[in-house]
Amino acid sequence: MSAASELAIQELLLSGPTREAVDAFVEAHDFPIREGPHTTFVFRGEATSVLLGHWLFGTAAAREMERVPDSDLWFLTLDLPAESRVEYRFQRVRGTDAEWILDPLNERTVRDPFGVWSVCHGEGYERPEWTEDDPQVGGGELSVTHVRSRALGTRPVSVYTPFGFRNRRRYPLLVVLDGEDYLRHAACRTVLDNLIHRREIPPLIAAFVTPEKRIREYADNPAHAEFLTSDLVPHLQTEFPLRRRPDDRGLVGAGLGAVAALTAAWRTPGFFGKLLLSSGSFTFTDAGPSTRTALLDPVVDFVNAYRADPRRVSSRVFLSCGIYEPLIYENRSLVPLLRESGMEVRYVEAPDGHNWDNWRDRLRVGLSWLFPGPLWLYYR
Amino acid sequence: MVLGPQPGRISLGAGLEALDLPPGPVAAITVGWRETEPVLKEVEQELGQCGRKAAPLHIGERVGRVFERDVPLAEAHRALQEGLLAEERLYGARLRRAVETAHEVVRLSVAERYRDPYAEQAWQAILAADRFHVERHAELWREFRETVGLSERPAIREQREELEGLLAGAAAVVLTGGHVAVIRNRLLLLGLRDALAPLPVLAWSAGAMVLTPRVVLFHDRLPGGSAHPEILGHGLALLPGIGLFPDARIRLDLAGRQSLAELAGRVDPDRAVLLDPGEMVHWDGRSWSSPGGIRLLSRDGDVETVPSFVPGGGVGESCREGAAP
């Protein structure tokens, strides 16, 4: 591990860099430069100033980068915790023009519903192998079923059936909110294939449900809860061989989807025996009105009500949140309340932000805790 | 003969050679594997290379046929499984508290002379939970067998007689790894202990665990968090004096001396035997031995390698793991 004074960028600065030296520096490194806990972000190009924009909650959202004297090279060194993942962009300012751009020196990007981001991996972070396709692993199948709902109209739902599916067996059910995003951005189908293959979770059926008007449906909407419990699950029970105990039924959501999951469970306590809530937008106010958008007022009202009267709504809850996201405070606050209500709670914090890779990377520990597979009983 | 896990390093052929068997086919019990895994084919290939023919017993399919033919038995068996599941949950709850209490007592910074009596009490509570569970588990099976008249049901008798015929004509029997509860369940349902007893056995992992006096479930590295070892129930006790811990390097925290000591204590007076791919231990009717040494857990949580040991008796010259044998 290098001391700060031995960082590559410091050596460049001390050398009194020429244009050739800067060329060689850029040629010689992968960016951002990871040296122990120190990560140096680098941008090369003409600019008045350059800022690093990131999702590290608790620090300035955009931090000014320093120019290597007499050059077009800009840098900023941050200390990132081990195994962390940071998504970022550069803001390049030229005169009165400013634009957010990806890091041209870093090919690693991630796409989420809000766009594409450059990604920096802190020391020790590797994408988990169980999130990657494995040709040795039998893949489950996705099909589409249409669910008629008095509350929400007819909805297409993608249904995952595991490899080796048999109609005469009975399977647990996982309902995944923001389902298309979980499939597209969190590799959820691959994750299920791999975890089932490793016997870390049992073969299960998963229903990927996608909202039409997300904020309206997910912000403590009784119609959405009714859709899940009165329309979707009964429909799936007629179409697929499902176990019917609440403990064989799980509900998964991230961000506002986690709110939708908890509120649905709150409205029908015990219906979903397992909840997986990632980075839930559990906004609340201890006094006075919320500063968040009025669209989220129902969420604030719900969380305030839950905090005043915590109830047991499921048997097990897996809660996770990234330490770099502003919601860490809300999620930490929720943990003792969930436990107080008599639910079994597992809470995990990750050195990551509010993003799909974070939620993907937590699926293994969350799902295998909620739905332990036969690995415990399996001796090869 | 107990072999280490076969995936990773196949030693079935070496085991066969070491047994010096009479001519004849080798019966194969492969129930408990995923349907997707062609384990039977692998066993057949390995036996074939040793000039042996496999006689697959198709235990899983046979049990399926029993349940198709005898629906009341299938329903009673399903009810038994529900009862066993409830029993496991109750045992798990009791055991969890007992283990947590034992660990808390040990952690307290009080003088040993005050702490030790409580530590011993806490330890006995763990063993009591194990004992009660094994008794309850056996009691549920006994109730089931007596209520349905298991051994006299035609569907069971027919399969058992066929299997006894196959086993009687076999030079040995192979039991593969897999789902230990499924293997145990099927063997108990068909009542095959007596038919297996006279035969030389080559077994590994789950297939071997069900032949020991007590089946211990363990895994220190579950992705959802580690769990306390649990006793599944009694085994067929055809392999005396041992508790088996296959894939020890993967499944056990071998640096955790305290938890290893507890594991050894949970199977006492039997010896905890660790097995990894490539290893094998042999029972000659009097003692356990292995040319490469048998890795045993001591009551202090050390891993000792011994050339042989007699159940309930002494061990050959031992050495600690890491030291030269």
Side-chain angles (χ1 to χ4, degrees), chain B residues 74-93:
Chain B
E75 286 170 1
H77 186 259
R78 195 172 300 123
L80 168 68
Q81 299 311 310
E82 283 173 17
L84 292 173
L85 194 62
E87 166 59 29
E88 278 162 28
R89 293 178 68 186
L90 292 163
Y91 163 59

Side-chain angles (χ1 to χ4, degrees), chain A residues 130-131 186-196 201 360 363-364 367:
Chain A
W130 49 267
T131 67
C188 203
R189 179 181 180 173
T190 301
V191 169
L192 291 177
D193 285 343
N194 287 335
L195 298 187
I196 290 169
I201 62 172
R360 176 199 66 199
L363 284 173
R364 182 187 188 206
L367 289 176

Side-chain angles (χ1 to χ4, degrees), chain B residues 208-244:
Chain B
M209 291 164 77
V210 300
L211 303 179
T212 63
R214 269 177 300 179
V215 180
V216 185
L217 307 176
F218 66 101
H219 204 311
D220 290 341
R221 297 191 178 95
L222 289 172
S226 69
H228 305 305
E230 292 179 5
I231 313 292
L232 175 66
H234 60 79
L236 301 189
L238 293 173
L239 302 177
I242 57 171
L244 276 179

